[in-house]
Amino acid sequence: MRWRDLRRSQNVEDVRGRTRGLGGGGGLKIGGLGLLVMLVIAWFLGANPLQLLALLAGGGGGLTVPSESGIDETAPPATPGAEAQDEGAQFVSAILADTEDTWNEIFQKNGRQYEEPRLVLFTDVVRSACGTAQSAMGPFYCPLDQKVYIDLGFYRDLEQRFGAAGDFAQAYVIAHEVGHHVQNQLGIAERVHAQKQQLPEAQANALSVLMELQADCYAGVWGHSAAQRGHLETGDVDEGLRAASSIGDDRLQRQSGGMVSPDSFTHGSSAQRVEWFRRGLESGDPNRCDTFR
Ligand SMILES: [Zn+2]
């Protein structure tokens, strides 16, 4: 990707290094470990861990963070818009800005106002309005505070464990999370959440898959826009498609030694993710991303 000349976003919050006692490669503290185990179990049962977190956070009393969770309560608040200088942060900031340009334009064309999401860079563990999250969960979007959360260590995983290397693959991950924000802005997330309450688990999971595939399609819409503005290089699209296929639920489950069982899919199979990403990428039209039809 040609990203260095892109403008930087004002919406990046850098809270990296604001955890304590978690040095040496992401060891987990007890409080966080219990939560993680719960989320993994939820995932295997087919629930979306993030929704579980959101539920816990919203369900009265909230999700309290144990003091041993590693969050440094005494650290000063992050400066909004403060620019991190390292390469990884610069890249994320440039891609986020590019998604802002893309979605601002699309919303404007449709007579709507796009509220830009914020993006939080963290290490190991982070507290969001949806509860406390560990890096192991991967990047996520929290609809309650409208922020995307990412530990840049995920990119190492993407490359080493899932074989998806390259800057466009990394950008795709951000664009997918921003896609969830777009769903939130359009009221889709709320509508689907309400529908899921009325359905048996397997059908509710199927709706979660459709949400994920739509976010992939929206990531493709951004890719289309980036290509039109000349930001892509040869091979970028392949990188994105490889990323989409390598983090499909079937691949993830196979890698973790589990049996592939469609009922517990919450992100869609590799083939589905590629198909919807490609649809957004080729059309550049979010109306083509109606996975619910
Ligand atoms: Zn997602």
Side-chain angles (χ1 to χ4, degrees):
M1 274 200 75
R2 296 184 197 91
W3 64 269
R4 285 176 201 282
D5 294 336
L6 299 178
R7 74 174 178 89
R8 303 298 188 259
S9 171
Q10 294 300 301
N11 291 311
V12 176
E13 294 174 26
D14 192 354
V15 300
R16 288 173 299 173
R18 289 181 64 225
T19 52
R20 63 176 174 223
L22 288 171
L28 295 174
K29 294 276 186 173
I30 294 157
L33 186 62
L35 178 67
L36 182 65
V37 167
M38 197 171 77
L39 290 170
V40 167
I41 291 170
W43 187 75
F44 272 103
L45 290 175
N48 183 340
L50 292 180
Q51 270 149 8
L52 183 70
L53 277 177
L55 219 69
L56 288 170
L63 186 65
T64 49
V65 183
S67 58
E68 68 270 34
S69 71
I71 301 270
D72 187 350
E73 306 283 353
T74 60
T79 317
E83 270 203 28
Q85 293 305 312
D86 60 290
E87 173 110 351
Q90 288 289 320
F91 174 76
V92 167
S93 181
I95 301 304
L96 182 65
D98 208 51
T99 66
E100 289 163 1
D101 294 349
T102 299
W103 289 108
N104 274 320
E105 193 186 318
I106 290 174
F107 271 60
Q108 223 160 51
K109 268 187 197 155
N110 290 282
R112 305 180 75 127
Q113 170 92 34
Y114 179 63
E115 282 169 45
E116 298 170 353
R118 296 185 69 79
L119 183 148
V120 179
L121 289 172
F122 72 99
T123 38
D124 301 325
V125 61
V126 72
R127 185 161 49 180
S128 76
C130 297
T132 300
Q134 306 279 352
S135 298
M137 287 172 54
F140 67 99
Y141 171 73
C142 171
L144 300 179
D145 56 20
Q146 309 205 26
K147 292 180 184 179
V148 169
Y149 292 83
I150 185 166
D151 182 331
L152 293 179
F154 178 74
Y155 287 148
R156 248 190 338 268
D157 277 7
L158 192 64
E159 199 170 331
Q160 291 171 359
R161 286 173 53 208
F162 306 127
D167 50 11
F168 190 74
Q170 298 178 354
Y172 159 83
V173 170
I174 297 166
H176 171 95
E177 297 308 332
V178 169
H180 285 310
H181 176 69
V182 171
Q183 290 173 321
N184 196 28
Q185 292 264 291
L186 294 177
I188 298 167
E190 204 178 341
R191 204 177 62 225
V192 169
H193 186 72
Q195 276 174 353
K196 282 171 65 176
Q197 310 297 313
Q198 318 287 327
L199 292 171
E201 195 177 295
Q203 283 173 49
N205 286 341
L207 280 185
S208 299
V209 171
L210 297 181
M211 284 290 279
E212 291 306 322
L213 295 176
Q214 187 173 53
D216 285 333
C217 188
Y218 286 160
V221 169
W222 161 76
H224 180 93
S225 160
Q228 275 200 324
R229 285 171 288 132
H231 303 332
L232 301 198
E233 296 166 310
T234 317
D236 277 347
V237 166
D238 287 340
E239 271 177 27
L241 292 172
R242 216 173 304 135
S245 72
S246 65
I247 51 186
D249 278 355
D250 49 349
R251 271 284 287 276
L252 290 180
Q253 290 194 8
R254 223 173 281 142
Q255 291 229 341
S256 64
M259 298 241 301
V260 179
S261 73
D263 255 6
S264 66
F265 281 14
T266 46
H267 282 80
S269 70
S270 295
Q272 284 174 313
R273 298 200 73 171
V274 168
E275 182 198 322
W276 283 98
F277 175 61
R278 194 192 289 277
R279 195 178 292 216
L281 193 68
E282 285 169 1
S283 70
D285 178 4
N287 294 319
R288 297 293 306 281
C289 296
D290 188 2
T291 53
F292 299 94
R293 199 166 49 189

